[in-house]
Amino acid sequence: MERKCITLFLIILINPLILGGCAKEPPRPDGVLTSAELLADPVYNTSIQVYGQVHGLGEFECPCFALKSGDQQIYVWFDMMVESDGSPTPPTRPPIDIEGIENDGWIVVTGELKYFEDFKVHKDFWLTEFEVIQKNK
């Protein structure tokens, strides 16, 4: 009997610890695209919202991070957003304060998917605002 109590106690104690490390994807807000949906049917230079999980924040050699959802990722730029002719657009476009964004957190970003003729890959997204849905646990 004592052995069964100890086993039951360990299951009750350990189970939340194991399940707590397996954070589930939070529900996607209505009307918001995944990165995969956006890249499958791209909409350029138009304000849109994209939902996903943050990766690479502080790891890339650019003021950007990857936003992944639906098995695809875009690169969200929050500073140094410069048109291909070298001039910022609009000229006074300030960098976006990304305080509150964490790697592995889930967010909704608002901004524009950019298209540059000189680029082979068109996955750069210029951030205008964001909402944190779930922080990294």
Side-chain angles (χ1 to χ4, degrees):
M1 177 69 176
E2 185 176 320
R3 186 177 221 170
K4 285 183 182 180
C5 288
I6 291 172
T7 303
L8 182 59
F9 174 75
L10 288 174
I11 290 171
I12 291 170
L13 179 67
I14 293 174
N15 196 30
L17 295 173
I18 292 171
L19 293 177
C22 301
K24 292 176 24 178
E25 176 179 338
R28 175 174 45 154
D30 291 337
V32 176
L33 299 172
T34 65
S35 297
E37 290 169 337
L38 175 60
L39 294 175
D41 189 16
V43 176
Y44 297 104
N45 304 317
T46 301
S47 183
I48 53 174
Q49 291 186 308
V50 183
Y51 164 82
Q53 188 174 33
V54 176
H55 296 283
L57 181 61
E59 299 172 15
F60 298 134
E61 292 185 23
C62 64
C64 66
F65 56 87
L67 187 72
K68 184 175 182 181
S69 53
D71 296 328
Q72 289 285 330
Q73 68 184 17
I74 57 175
Y75 296 94
V76 179
W77 287 71
F78 51 88
D79 196 0
M80 294 179 57
M81 295 169 277
V82 179
E83 290 290 350
S84 59
D85 66 0
S87 64
T89 181
T92 58
R93 187 169 189 163
I96 305 300
D97 180 4
I98 60 165
E99 185 174 338
I101 296 178
E102 300 175 353
N103 281 321
D104 298 324
W106 290 85
I107 65 174
V108 171
V109 294
T110 302
E112 302 171 18
L113 184 65
K114 299 303 285 185
Y115 182 89
F116 297 108
E117 289 190 26
D118 297 342
F119 293 12
K120 291 183 181 179
V121 178
H122 306 286
K123 294 185 176 185
D124 288 346
F125 186 91
W126 289 7
L127 183 66
T128 55
E129 61 183 328
F130 67 91
E131 177 186 357
V132 175
I133 301 298
Q134 176 178 298
K135 289 196 175 244
N136 176 16
K137 295 185 178 192

